[in-house]
Amino acid sequence: MRLNGLTGRVITPSDKEYPTLRLEYNLSINKFPLAIVYCYTPTDVSNAIKWCRKHHVGLRIRTGKHNYEGYSTDNGVIVIDTTPMDKIEVNTKNDTVKIQAGARLGNIYSITAEKGYAFNGGTCPTVGISGLVLGGGIGLSCRNFGLVSDNLIELQLVNAKGDLITANNHIHRDLFWACRGAGGGNFGVVTSYTFRLHKVNYITLIQLRWNNISRGKFINLWQCWLRTADKRISCFAGLSKKGIYLNGFFYGPKSEAEKILKEFLLLPGLLDNSLIEYVPFIDAVKAIGSFYGPPDRFKATGRFVYCHLSKTNIRNLIKYIDCSPGDDCFIRLYTLGGKIKDFSSDYSAYYYRDASYIIGITADWEEYEDGNIFKNWVSQVFKYVETITNGSYVNFPYAGLKYYGYEYYGENYGTLRIIKKIYDHDNVFRFPQSIEP
Ligand SMILES: Cc1cc2nc3c(=O)[nH]c(=O)nc-3n(C[C@H](O)[C@H](O)[C@H](O)COP(=O)(O)OP(=O)(O)OC[C@H]3O[C@@H](n4cnc5c(N)ncnc54)[C@H](O)[C@@H]3O)c2cc1C
């Protein structure tokens, strides 16, 4: 097929870079797109959309490539890659930042921190801003500042007709609402965002580690503690066969953080490499970011927790961890609440605002042949976790969800389908779990 009409940098299977550039961050995804179009301008994006429509070829939208299920690529499609559009401009007069859609978190943190701001983002420096904010976005500042998308003021998007439009609280309000929680790959290709920033210099970085003797106690403490925890603290924790980690940011001094975490510090098995330190915000971000390695093979997902887990629930979770097939299999816990709960479930497309935390299930492996063992483990744990949770986080997607629309968007799904019909009547932007018009 002739690719005339596509602009930007077009990579096809005959290019020597194709074998590398077709890959996602999750190396267990193995797709062969017809071409990858690296877009330098919204016009390149528009040309790609028009070309796909004219030639009846499917498309996928891609930025940081971190989608767990690989929904930013597919076989035989045009991948519209926004990474060449990666400018980041801080406006110190009104404490905002304009970020082009292709930027990744690491650069955004560095550039905003140079001007004295804390960007409210996620933990992995190579995650794309686009997938993160369009799915809601959580991180180690979210109880203090809300979801990543709660700090979004405006976006520009190339729609299904190939037109560049602006959406905010005044223009295309419905689209703006939809893109804050359900925008990943569904309504158009976003080309830029404007975010509110927060002036911050120092915060308290928390990195606590335990051996595996207190896992049951840890989960129980986590859920009880979170009911009344100070909203300035956000934490991500993980439990594996080997032990427990808890990483967090506290927007206040070290002495206060120690008081807030007192009961955790008393849990048996606390390791010597644990630390609580008052550091410049950017150092805290980098310390957490340094845990993420290069791309690997994994299966992962996550569900919203509303209920109090019983002793049996906790025992079962520990049993699943103990029968996991490797050391890199985790039950993870991500705090929600705080500022996220200040808004109602129809404030934006992100529905599950009253959840206390997310339970994540993740398994990483090295050898291709081992994939099924690890995927089966995730699937078994998922079946159990489904019975004690409500709804799935769209940024931790899971192909096995039966009613994915309701699972990701709850009662907002009906409104999202109406908005989809308005902005993408012909369902140009579709993938296995896209919103149906
Ligand atoms: C190692 C790792 C760490 C993570 N940490 C966090 C975290 O701390 N907090 C959190 O909330 N999530 C986290 N996630 C999940 C992450 O937010 C999602 O995977 C997110 O969708 C990734 O965005 P991306 O741009 O990197 O990925 P991509 O795979 O490029 O895109 C993800 C989705 O967004 C769509 N999309 C991409 N660009 C655009 C665009 N310009 N316009 C419209 N749609 C677009 C894609 O089509 C796809 O559906 C993590 C994931 C990984 C793998």
Side-chain angles (χ1 to χ4, degrees):
M1 181 175 281
R2 295 171 61 169
L3 300 177
N4 291 356
L6 292 173
T7 58
R9 182 176 168 225
V10 182
I11 300 288
T12 66
S14 58
D15 287 296
K16 67 174 189 313
E17 303 99 317
Y18 179 88
T20 313
L21 296 181
R22 76 177 179 86
L23 297 177
E24 295 272 287
Y25 181 79
N26 182 353
L27 295 179
S28 75
I29 310 292
N30 190 28
K31 302 288 183 183
F32 294 85
L34 179 69
I36 304 160
V37 181
Y38 286 92
C39 297
Y40 291 79
T41 62
T43 306
D44 293 337
V45 174
S46 175
N47 290 339
I49 294 171
K50 287 177 184 162
W51 188 95
C52 290
R53 296 195 69 164
K54 185 173 164 196
H55 297 277
H56 306 286
V57 170
L59 63 83
R60 290 291 169 86
I61 315 166
R62 192 172 88 171
T63 294
K65 306 181 181 184
H66 280 56
N67 186 281
Y68 289 177
E69 298 287 8
Y71 293 150
S72 43
T73 186
D74 201 0
N75 293 323
V77 299
I78 296 291
V79 170
I80 298 179
D81 189 302
T82 65
T83 48
M85 295 185 278
D86 63 353
K87 261 201 213 109
I88 300 162
E89 289 171 314
V90 178
N91 184 335
T92 52
K93 289 202 183 94
N94 62 7
D95 299 333
T96 62
V97 59
K98 185 159 183 176
I99 301 175
Q100 283 193 313
R104 291 171 193 257
L105 291 186
N107 279 347
I108 299 171
Y109 279 126
S110 297
I111 289 173
T112 51
E114 269 169 28
K115 308 273 184 191
Y117 294 103
F119 183 73
N120 176 30
T123 47
C124 170
T126 53
V127 162
I129 186 61
S130 285
L132 178 76
V133 62
L134 296 174
I138 59 165
L140 293 179
S141 303
C142 66
R143 286 171 48 81
N144 197 35
F145 295 135
L147 298 170
V148 179
S149 55
D150 291 340
N151 294 266
L152 185 66
I153 301 171
E154 179 172 290
L155 57 81
Q156 267 87 41
L157 163 151
V158 181
N159 67 14
K161 290 184 192 150
D163 297 332
L164 182 66
I165 60 174
T166 295
N168 57 35
N169 269 328
H170 308 285
I171 319 161
H172 298 300
R173 232 186 129 150
D174 48 0
L175 179 64
F176 187 57
W177 177 89
C179 283
R180 287 174 295 149
N186 276 310
F187 299 100
V189 183
V190 181
T191 56
S192 76
Y193 308 90
T194 305
F195 286 95
R196 205 171 299 118
L197 286 173
H198 307 273
K199 275 259 176 229
V200 174
N201 283 323
Y202 275 67
I203 63 165
T204 300
L205 165 69
I206 299 145
Q207 293 182 298
L208 303 179
R209 309 286 178 259
W210 293 263
N211 61 26
N212 70 4
I213 61 169
S214 293
R215 289 176 304 178
K217 282 191 186 128
F218 180 91
I219 298 178
N220 191 43
L221 173 58
W222 167 277
Q223 64 175 352
C224 297
W225 170 80
L226 200 45
R227 275 195 220 133
T228 53
D230 190 307
K231 70 195 271 186
R232 292 171 296 165
I233 193 165
S234 307
C235 300
F236 287 1
L239 299 94
S240 70
K241 275 181 183 170
K242 281 181 133 178
I244 313 170
Y245 74 84
L246 181 138
N247 291 330
F249 289 174
F250 174 63
Y251 283 79
K254 173 179 161 152
S255 54
E256 245 185 285
E258 284 170 341
K259 264 189 221 148
I260 289 169
L261 291 166
K262 195 174 73 196
E263 288 168 277
F264 284 101
L265 295 171
L266 292 172
L267 280 177
L270 185 68
L271 300 176
D272 288 346
N273 57 355
S274 297
L275 63 83
I276 298 183
E277 266 182 339
Y278 196 56
V279 295
F281 174 76
I282 191 64
D283 292 0
V285 166
K286 285 184 177 162
I288 298 296
S290 68
F291 286 104
Y292 294 96
D296 64 359
R297 298 189 168 88
F298 67 88
K299 183 82 185 165
T301 184
R303 304 267 304 167
F304 294 104
V305 185
Y306 280 75
C307 70
H308 185 82
L309 301 185
S310 66
K311 277 188 183 149
T312 312
N313 296 150
I314 294 174
R315 250 197 316 268
N316 287 337
L317 289 175
I318 303 297
K319 269 191 212 154
Y320 279 115
I321 296 170
D322 283 336
C323 71
S324 63
D327 289 345
D328 249 347
C329 296
F330 282 87
I331 299 279
R332 298 191 199 257
L333 309 171
Y334 306 83
T335 54
L336 298 173
K339 186 100 195 238
I340 297 171
K341 277 194 185 177
D342 288 355
F343 304 100
S344 64
S345 57
D346 61 358
Y347 171 74
S348 72
Y350 179 94
Y351 178 74
Y352 296 97
R353 290 208 177 248
D354 285 337
S356 307
Y357 60 99
I358 290 175
I359 290 189
I361 311 158
T362 69
D364 293 42
W365 63 94
E366 276 177 21
E367 302 305 326
Y368 171 80
E369 307 75 58
D370 295 337
N372 284 341
I373 302 169
F374 287 84
K375 286 179 191 171
N376 284 342
W377 179 76
V378 172
S379 152
Q380 274 172 31
V381 187
F382 181 82
K383 276 190 200 130
Y384 179 67
V385 167
E386 219 177 1
T387 65
I388 52 173
T389 51
N390 301 56
S392 278
Y393 179 36
V394 69
N395 273 355
F396 297 169
Y398 187 60
L401 286 179
K402 212 167 175 191
Y403 303 108
Y404 67 85
Y406 184 76
E407 295 287 359
Y408 291 143
Y409 313 115
E411 287 171 21
N412 287 336
Y413 191 50
T415 312
L416 284 166
R417 292 189 67 182
I418 295 169
I419 298 170
K420 175 80 172 174
K421 222 179 231 172
I422 298 171
Y423 289 93
D424 185 19
H425 187 269
D426 299 328
N427 207 10
V428 172
F429 302 108
R430 61 176 184 274
F431 55 94
Q433 292 190 336
S434 53
I435 294 167
E436 290 172 5

